[in-house]
Amino acid sequence: MLNEYVYCPRLAYLEWVQGEWAHSADTVEGRHVHRRVDRRSGTPPPAGGGASSQGESERESEDEAGPEAPERIHVRSMELSSTTLGLVAKLDLAEFEGRRAVPVDYKRGKRPHVPAGAYDPERVQLCVQGLLLEEHGHEAPEGVLYFAASRERVRVPFDEALRLATREAAAGLRRMAEGGAIPPPLENSPKCPRCSLAPICLPDEVHFLRAGGAPPRPLAVAQTPALPMYVQSRGAKVAKSGELLEVSIEDEKVLSARLIDVSQLVLQGGVYLTTPALHELMSREIPVTWLSHGGWFLGHTVGLGHKNVELRSAQYRASFDEAFCLRLAKVLVVAKIRNQRTLLRRNW
Ligand code: SF4
């Protein structure tokens, strides 16, 4: 989270304090790049450079490292924490050689051509890993950023300036979270259009409403072509098969739909939904609506949903304000009537 804090404090607040998250093409690609390093493997050697006791680590052979070189041990997806530092990190890869440990962090893009070799958020994130390795008794004078698109390794020395910036960022993030006030958005920043949380943060809109000025830049709104899926046949069974929802009647498959194409599952009457299918729907935040045989609404099954505690508390408080509730209800009714009018005029 220190990476996000250094990139933009508001981004860190949205993600860490309010529990907001949204995918973008960049985050999906980043997850793809991490798929190998996210697989845990290897055991770190004890501090001081001894051999790993459990012998599960990936070791370089003598041919690779040379007969005189100390054994190099690779450990992937290693979690480290320290109560002294108040930090926790998951290392993509750590290379151990004697007393020395080098954290390696994978990045999906190309190496930026900047004097420090990489941008501050990535350098600070890597330095956290170095500090944690030192806290666990290893020597970590530098780390490596591996840029997958250009296949380049960039060395990042953990000098005093970077260590200080990292500690200050950690303290700043903690202060910000305890303060309980979301920082203002960046102003007209080139970071915002690529930020996956821009549609939640609404930086230009917030500034525009607060102080006027330049109108908001248009957002590229994601398309959502998914549609509701209705199952009405008595005795039908809805099950998950890979990325599909399959409907069968008396064990004969009658229909299937891709999960990404389903926005909501509506089950009418005696339709049977399997537990794995229900788990998948809940984890994807696809609601299931249960109706009686006659089509009367019985209830919803939904996943954990939105985790923004501050927003939930504000909504709960507002629900006791009668004037606010009336205003909100009026706005909803007006919007519904306007939408219906638009649809009628468009289609008839
Ligand atoms: S959209 Fe801009 S201001 Fe908002 S969180 Fe992202 S980077 Fe920060």
Side-chain angles (χ1 to χ4, degrees), residues 7-8 10-11 14 185-186 191-192 195 198 201 203:
Y7 185 82
C8 166
R10 184 175 171 91
L11 176 63
L14 283 166
L186 304 178
K191 294 178 181 176
C192 297
C195 172
C201 163

Side-chain angles (χ1 to χ4, degrees), residues 26-49:
D26 289 343
T27 63
V28 173
E29 208 182 317
R31 200 170 54 181
H32 183 70
V33 166
H34 276 84
R35 70 196 182 286
R36 176 154 181 249
V37 284
D38 278 349
R39 251 176 267 137
R40 187 183 298 242
S41 70
T43 306

Side-chain angles (χ1 to χ4, degrees), residues 311-333:
L311 183 64
R312 285 277 176 270
S313 312
Q315 286 170 334
Y316 185 65
R317 278 197 303 276
S319 71
F320 295 102
D321 180 343
E322 287 190 8
F324 175 85
C325 292
L326 182 61
R327 256 195 337 270
L328 184 65
K330 281 182 180 170
V331 172
L332 290 176
V333 171

Side-chain angles (χ1 to χ4, degrees), residues 22-317:
H23 273 298
S24 67
D26 289 343
T27 63
V28 173
E29 208 182 317
R31 200 170 54 181
H32 183 70
V33 166
H34 276 84
R35 70 196 182 286
R36 176 154 181 249
V37 284
D38 278 349
R39 251 176 267 137
R40 187 183 298 242
S41 70
T43 306
S52 167
S53 56
Q54 296 178 38
E56 294 169 0
S57 310
E58 293 177 25
R59 295 150 193 272
E60 274 189 8
S61 69
E62 224 176 52
D63 290 347
E64 287 171 282
E68 304 301 327
E71 182 180 45
R72 185 182 290 180
I73 297 171
H74 290 170
V75 182
R76 294 180 196 281
S77 194
M78 183 170 97
E79 284 173 22
L80 286 178
S81 63
S82 158
T83 44
T84 316
L85 296 170
L87 293 170
V88 51
K90 188 168 169 188
L91 283 62
D92 291 340
L93 172 67
E95 297 174 342
F96 295 92
E97 196 169 348
R99 298 176 61 85
R100 237 174 113 109
V102 178
V104 182
D105 205 39
Y106 280 56
K107 299 293 168 200
R108 58 168 199 92
K110 290 184 180 170
R111 173 174 74 98
H113 292 275
V114 291
Y119 293 117
D120 285 347
E122 284 77 34
R123 294 173 65 240
V124 164
Q125 182 185 14
L126 191 64
C127 187
V128 167
Q129 302 177 6
L131 293 177
L132 283 167
L133 283 165
E134 287 179 349
E135 188 70 14
H136 284 262
H138 303 281
E139 288 175 6
E142 65 176 29
V144 168
L145 289 168
Y146 176 73
F147 290 90
S150 56
R151 298 187 174 189
E152 285 175 279
R153 284 168 69 103
V154 173
R155 282 182 52 236
V156 177
F158 299 146
D159 55 28
E160 269 318 304
L162 181 56
R163 286 166 189 263
L164 185 64
T166 304
R167 288 179 199 276
E168 282 179 354
L173 174 59
R174 242 173 260 127
R175 266 198 312 275
M176 179 187 75
E178 284 164 8
I182 187 166
L186 304 178
E187 239 174 290
N188 204 18
S189 167
K191 294 178 181 176
C192 297
R194 293 210 69 159
C195 172
S196 67
L197 260 59
I200 297 170
C201 163
L202 299 174
D204 293 1
E205 290 77 357
V206 170
H207 283 302
F208 183 68
L209 290 174
R210 277 188 187 160
R217 290 166 287 183
L219 285 173
V221 180
Q223 281 190 330
T224 48
L227 292 169
M229 176 174 171
Y230 287 80
V231 185
Q232 297 171 300
S233 303
R234 182 191 288 254
K237 173 179 152 189
V238 182
K240 172 182 171 289
S241 172
E243 290 293 303
L244 299 176
L245 273 187
E246 286 186 349
V247 182
S248 53
I249 298 175
E250 293 179 356
D251 289 335
E252 192 177 326
K253 195 173 98 180
V254 292
L255 185 103
S256 69
R258 295 188 308 173
L259 276 156
I260 52 167
D261 292 333
V262 178
S263 65
Q264 180 185 8
L265 179 64
V266 184
L267 306 177
Q268 184 168 347
V271 178
Y272 164 49
L273 176 64
T274 66
T275 304
L278 184 58
H279 287 184
E280 188 64 29
L281 290 163
M282 287 194 292
S283 76
R284 291 179 185 236
E285 299 294 338
I286 299 173
V288 181
T289 300
W290 305 88
L291 305 179
S292 70
H293 282 291
W296 292 100
F297 173 70
L298 297 174
H300 288 306
T301 303
V302 292
L304 288 176
H306 206 253
K307 301 189 193 81
N308 189 334
V309 175
E310 290 185 346
L311 183 64
R312 285 277 176 270
S313 312
Q315 286 170 334
Y316 185 65
R317 278 197 303 276

